[in-house]
Amino acid sequence: MKKLAVIGASYLQLPVVKKAKEMGIEVHCFAWREGAVCADVADYFYDISTIDKEAILRECQRIGIDGIVTIASDVAVLTVNYVATHMQLPGNDDSYSEVVTNKFRMRECFLQHAIPSPKFCRVKGASDIDAVKTFRFPVIVKPTDRSGSRGVEKVLTIDQLPEAIDRAMNESFAHEAIVEEFVEGREISVECISWQGEHHLLQITDKVTTGEPYFVELEHHQPTTLPADIVGKIKTIVPQALDALHIRYGASHSEIKITPDGELFFIEIGARMGGDFIGSDLVRLSTGYDFLQGVIEVALGDFHEPQLTSGHYSGVYFLSAETAWLQPMIEHAADMPEVVEAEITDATLRHIESSSDRSGYLIYQSTKGRLSLR
């Protein structure tokens, strides 16, 4: 029986743990005990921090794992690459881990390889504001090393910068922030899977966010409604960006802004599945391709070229104070044939500043078009 290490044990990793078990694979899960919902699902659970690379490597060597994976977690990518490199398992080279998990290093890489992205600079405190004086406002401030929209804020004037920088730095593991010129336009993400440097584009996702100042996602829909010429540009530039970051194996999630003039700007790329059910559910529902199984097969060195067998529509709506109108639909989801899954996870509806503030979700699949609930 093949042995798979999964880094992380929160609800984010539950789909990949369940899928591996379904495939008859022995699952070894690593994370702190608190919030480890996968502990009771995996075959073996280890109460080790996901960032303790050395301890996890020693345990994986003792177990004799055949592959290692994580989904929807940038922090865990560091450990996955470290273990895969040291054990000569399929995975991305650990020497490039910081480039794909640190937004400042990623921006530097994009600049070096002529990948279009916004003007940027790194700041470590209010004293660095002088570096931003030449920027065109508004700007976006974000931590260099977090996901889920934590600490992200749009800033209209330079007077608002110190507070936004402090907020972003407080969310950052490295206590650093990055300031970028704001790109006006439409936001999409691109879901890919790679094997030995060959990139397979699976789907393009349209996003709906709260807008300024925090830009937290409220909806995701597949496939995109972008015109064919823009889709063609995306199919050309995304593989170039993945090559620049040395992403050669596994899932990737590229976030791109498209200006009204049709210019593309990369916001960031994750060397893992997109969260918010994009990778774990929506890709399969819209294309027929089991993305979770594909990622596991890559980790185990048993890749099969993706077959996109259906042309359905899929999407997810998230519940919050901004989308309170969604609550009765979630409560009566059984009456809606297009709804695949719906749940209220928190009785309190909050105005959201990050994805962790959301209180529920509704996932749909349709053969007729995008499911409009408003």
Side-chain angles (χ1 to χ4, degrees):
M1 180 182 289
K2 293 284 188 179
K3 300 176 181 178
L4 180 71
V6 176
I7 307 305
S10 73
Y11 73 95
L12 293 172
Q13 306 303 324
L14 194 56
V16 76
V17 171
K18 288 182 174 180
K19 174 56 65 173
K21 292 284 291 178
E22 179 186 311
M23 294 168 65
I25 296 165
E26 184 177 287
V27 179
H28 298 256
C29 203
F30 296 83
W32 277 333
R33 173 68 63 175
E34 184 179 356
V37 298
C38 297
D40 296 329
V41 183
D43 295 287
Y44 299 92
F45 176 75
Y46 306 85
D47 189 1
I48 303 174
S49 169
T50 58
I51 63 173
D52 193 341
K53 299 185 293 185
E54 291 290 350
I56 292 176
L57 173 60
R58 288 193 298 270
E59 201 62 33
C60 287
Q61 288 172 328
R62 182 192 65 79
I63 297 162
I65 63 166
D66 299 292
I68 185 167
V69 72
T70 192
I71 62 171
S73 173
D74 288 323
V75 175
V77 165
L78 295 166
T79 298
V80 169
N81 292 352
Y82 183 80
V83 173
T85 297
H86 281 76
M87 293 187 66
Q88 297 184 320
L89 298 170
N92 295 310
D93 192 326
D94 183 51
S95 61
Y96 297 102
S97 288
E98 189 177 10
V99 174
V100 297
T101 56
N102 183 289
K103 294 176 176 61
F104 174 68
R105 299 297 181 198
M106 186 177 295
R107 284 276 175 265
E108 287 187 316
C109 182
F110 285 161
L111 185 62
Q112 180 182 354
H113 290 86
I115 303 298
S117 62
K119 183 177 180 180
F120 67 97
C121 71
R122 178 175 56 180
V123 293
K124 298 184 178 181
S127 60
D128 293 335
I129 287 179
D130 284 347
V132 189
K133 287 183 176 178
T134 61
F135 281 38
R136 182 184 69 251
F137 278 73
V139 297
I140 290 288
V141 181
K142 60 181 75 170
T144 57
D145 52 6
R146 293 303 297 265
S147 58
S149 301
R150 293 181 184 89
V152 176
E153 187 172 352
K154 182 180 181 181
V155 175
L156 303 179
T157 68
I158 199 164
D159 294 337
Q160 298 172 339
L161 264 181
E163 184 177 349
I165 289 172
D166 285 344
R167 179 173 176 268
M169 289 175 58
N170 287 335
E171 291 285 353
S172 167
F173 295 115
H175 208 60
E176 295 177 348
I178 185 171
V179 180
E180 305 171 350
E181 287 190 346
F182 179 71
V183 177
E184 192 70 55
R186 179 172 173 176
E187 186 174 350
I188 57 101
S189 67
V190 184
E191 325 311 327
C192 293
I193 192 167
S194 303
W195 173 255
Q196 296 179 341
E198 183 177 354
H199 311 298
H200 302 269
L201 193 153
L202 303 175
Q203 190 57 283
I204 300 173
T205 309
D206 287 336
K207 296 177 177 289
V208 176
T209 75
T210 58
E212 57 186 66
Y214 302 122
F215 298 95
V216 184
E217 289 92 342
L218 294 176
E219 304 171 24
H220 299 291
H221 301 279
Q222 296 178 356
T224 182
T225 58
L226 286 168
D229 61 325
I230 299 297
V231 171
K233 289 182 182 180
I234 290 169
K235 289 181 176 180
T236 297
I237 193 65
V238 167
Q240 296 174 10
L242 297 178
D243 286 342
L245 297 176
H246 293 85
I247 297 174
R248 303 187 72 247
Y249 291 90
S252 61
H253 174 73
S254 303
E255 297 184 349
I256 300 173
K257 276 286 198 72
I258 303 161
T259 71
D261 295 331
E263 288 188 88
L264 273 59
F265 289 87
F266 279 82
I267 303 305
E268 61 186 77
I269 296 180
R272 40 77 179 172
M273 275 187 176
D276 286 357
F277 306 101
I278 293 173
S280 59
D281 293 81
L282 301 192
V283 168
R284 174 181 53 80
L285 292 171
S286 68
T287 70
Y289 175 67
D290 194 329
F291 199 4
L292 284 169
Q293 181 170 324
V295 166
I296 293 169
E297 289 174 343
V298 167
L300 295 174
D302 185 30
F303 177 69
H304 301 90
E305 186 168 336
Q307 302 297 315
L308 309 183
T309 59
S310 67
H312 293 162
Y313 299 83
S314 68
V316 59
Y317 288 86
F318 291 102
L319 178 63
S320 67
E322 289 84 353
T323 60
W325 50 266
L326 184 62
Q327 183 167 343
M329 299 179 193
I330 295 177
E331 292 171 342
H332 297 91
D335 300 329
M336 303 173 66
E338 300 93 344
V339 175
V340 174
E341 184 178 343
E343 183 181 1
I344 294 176
T345 56
D346 191 329
T348 302
L349 301 188
R350 291 176 293 276
H351 291 284
I352 54 179
E353 297 184 12
S354 74
S355 58
S356 61
D357 294 326
R358 297 182 299 211
S359 299
Y361 61 89
L362 181 151
I363 301 172
Y364 73 86
Q365 180 190 49
S366 171
T367 59
K368 299 178 181 178
R370 183 173 295 183
L371 181 64
S372 178
L373 298 180
R374 285 183 291 182

